[in-house]
Amino acid sequence: MTHCTPAQTAVLNTLRQQNQPISAQALHGQMRTQQRIGLATIYRALDALKRLGRVQHRTTLAGETLYNTVEQDQHYLTCLHCGQSFPLKACPLKGLQLQPQPSNSFEVFYHTLEFFGLCQPCQVETTPEEKHLEV
Amino acid sequence: MTHCTPAQTAVLNTLRQQNQPISAQALHGQMRTQQRIGLATIYRALDALKRLGRVQHRTTLAGETLYNTVEQDQHYLTCLHCGQSFPLKACPLKGLQLQPQPSNSFEVFYHTLEFFGLCQPCQVETTPEEKHLEV
DNA sequence: TTAGAAACGATAATCATTATCATTTCTGTA
DNA sequence: TACAGAAATGATAATGATTATCGTTTCTAA
Ligand SMILES: [Mn+2]
Ligand SMILES: [Mn+2]
Ligand SMILES: [Zn+2]
Ligand SMILES: [Zn+2]
């Protein structure tokens, strides 16, 4: 219990090789070609890594959960109309200092940050009254 | 199709009355005491409001999806050990300008932002090597 | 070795969310 | 007003990602 199990290590390494967040099932499909591993073990490993602060996840509009390592500090603009996601070039929180918090010493491992709105092409198909903030 | 359906309006108003994000089922349980409304309609309304950029949602560590209006721009510190969530006093992105993006004119309606780590009490039960960033 | 603990794989069970479909309500027109 | 087609709704069945279960295997430490 002191360190990662073999499965956890394997999952973490496979996640590191991805250049995009990936679902648990896709991860399984990818890993099982290399080694014998059960889907339940993937979920167990992802959960453990999550609680260790090594892996994070986001949920797409379609409802699928995508995992990635905390190191790849990546955020997306997601279009509410067509569902496409566009990666940000940099993390907007880089170098940002959080205000002192409730118990004033919460230890932050990582964060999730996503933006939702309309991509360029989808904006034209939208009525003016629905428009909000331009960025 | 030009405007909200009665159900969408009702859901949005009920969401506004909440001072915390709430699950679809809890929302249903709360609304059905006031009026006859089906759970499917709640989900349909939430989905429509989501795509209109009026409602957002987050997924807890336990896997439940919680909804809230975009106006209540609220973010949380969530402890990976005990699962408790602590609200931030203010949005760290307030007044922040996004860098020019891919198609350079993505229209942002709202954002989601969450922090994960260890709360004060849970930090003491943790070995030093697992410690990360102090905030 | 060997006993107990932890991890694992296969698969059954769960449960939030979606899809279906018959019914009701709306909207515009004759 | 009466009516036809469209949209919305509620009840409920189906789906599918995640979790629980359980028998087996692997690890750990005496
Ligand atoms: Mn970031
Ligand atoms: Mn905010
Ligand atoms: Zn789009
Ligand atoms: Zn805690």
Side-chain angles (χ1 to χ4, degrees):
Chain A
M1 209 253 281
T2 51
H3 217 241
C4 284
T5 70
Q8 284 165 29
T9 303
V11 164
L12 190 57
N13 284 331
T14 308
L15 274 183
R16 282 181 174 138
Q17 293 163 17
Q18 311 300 316
N19 44 19
Q20 286 191 358
I22 185 177
S23 74
Q25 309 231 3
L27 203 53
H28 182 228
Q30 188 167 319
M31 292 182 69
R32 71 183 314 176
T33 68
Q34 313 276 112
Q35 63 196 284
R36 169 186 161 84
I37 189 170
L39 178 57
T41 302
I42 304 269
Y43 277 109
R44 278 190 283 245
L46 284 173
D47 185 63
L49 291 168
K50 232 163 44 181
R51 278 177 293 117
L52 285 172
R54 313 292 299 276
V55 159
Q56 65 179 154
H57 63 99
R58 71 191 186 100
T59 307
T60 69
L61 291 182
E64 59 176 350
T65 306
L66 304 181
Y67 300 84
N68 65 275
T69 67
V70 167
E71 284 73 31
Q72 45 203 80
D73 180 26
Q74 183 68 73
H75 308 287
Y76 296 88
L77 299 161
T78 298
C79 177
L80 293 168
H81 188 257
C82 68
Q84 279 186 87
S85 283
F86 307 90
L88 285 190
K89 291 174 190 157
C91 172
L93 293 184
K94 189 81 60 66
L96 200 70
Q97 189 68 30
L98 279 191
Q99 296 205 0
Q101 287 316 309
S103 44
N104 98 9
S105 85
F106 192 100
E107 188 183 342
V108 174
F109 289 7
Y110 63 90
H111 59 264
T112 64
L113 170 61
E114 288 181 81
F115 297 90
F116 297 89
L118 291 178
C119 72
Q120 176 110 64
C122 288
Q123 285 173 37
V124 304
E125 311 170 26
T126 306
T127 69
E129 70 219 325
E130 296 184 55
K131 300 219 166 188
H132 296 225
L133 255 172
E134 178 78 20
V135 172
Chain B
M1 208 251 280
T2 51
H3 218 241
C4 283
T5 70
Q8 285 165 29
T9 305
V11 164
L12 189 57
N13 284 332
T14 309
L15 275 183
R16 282 182 174 135
Q17 292 163 17
Q18 312 300 316
N19 45 19
Q20 285 190 359
I22 186 177
S23 74
Q25 310 232 5
L27 203 53
H28 182 228
Q30 188 167 317
M31 292 183 69
R32 71 183 314 173
T33 67
Q34 313 277 111
Q35 63 196 284
R36 167 187 164 84
I37 189 169
L39 179 56
T41 302
I42 304 268
Y43 277 109
R44 278 190 282 246
L46 284 173
D47 185 59
L49 292 168
K50 230 163 45 182
R51 280 177 294 118
L52 285 173
R54 314 292 299 276
V55 159
Q56 65 179 153
H57 63 99
R58 69 189 188 102
T59 307
T60 69
L61 290 182
E64 61 177 348
T65 305
L66 304 181
Y67 299 84
N68 65 276
T69 68
V70 166
E71 284 72 33
Q72 46 204 78
D73 181 26
Q74 183 69 73
H75 308 286
Y76 296 88
L77 298 161
T78 298
C79 178
L80 293 168
H81 188 257
C82 67
Q84 277 186 90
S85 283
F86 307 90
L88 285 191
K89 291 174 191 156
C91 172
L93 293 184
K94 189 80 60 66
L96 200 69
Q97 189 68 29
L98 279 191
Q99 295 205 0
Q101 287 314 311
S103 46
N104 96 11
S105 81
F106 192 100
E107 189 182 340
V108 173
F109 289 8
Y110 64 90
H111 60 262
T112 63
L113 171 61
E114 287 180 82
F115 297 91
F116 296 89
L118 291 178
C119 73
Q120 177 109 62
C122 288
Q123 286 173 37
V124 305
E125 311 169 25
T126 305
T127 67
E129 69 218 324
E130 295 184 57
K131 301 223 168 186
H132 296 222
L133 255 174
E134 178 78 22
V135 173

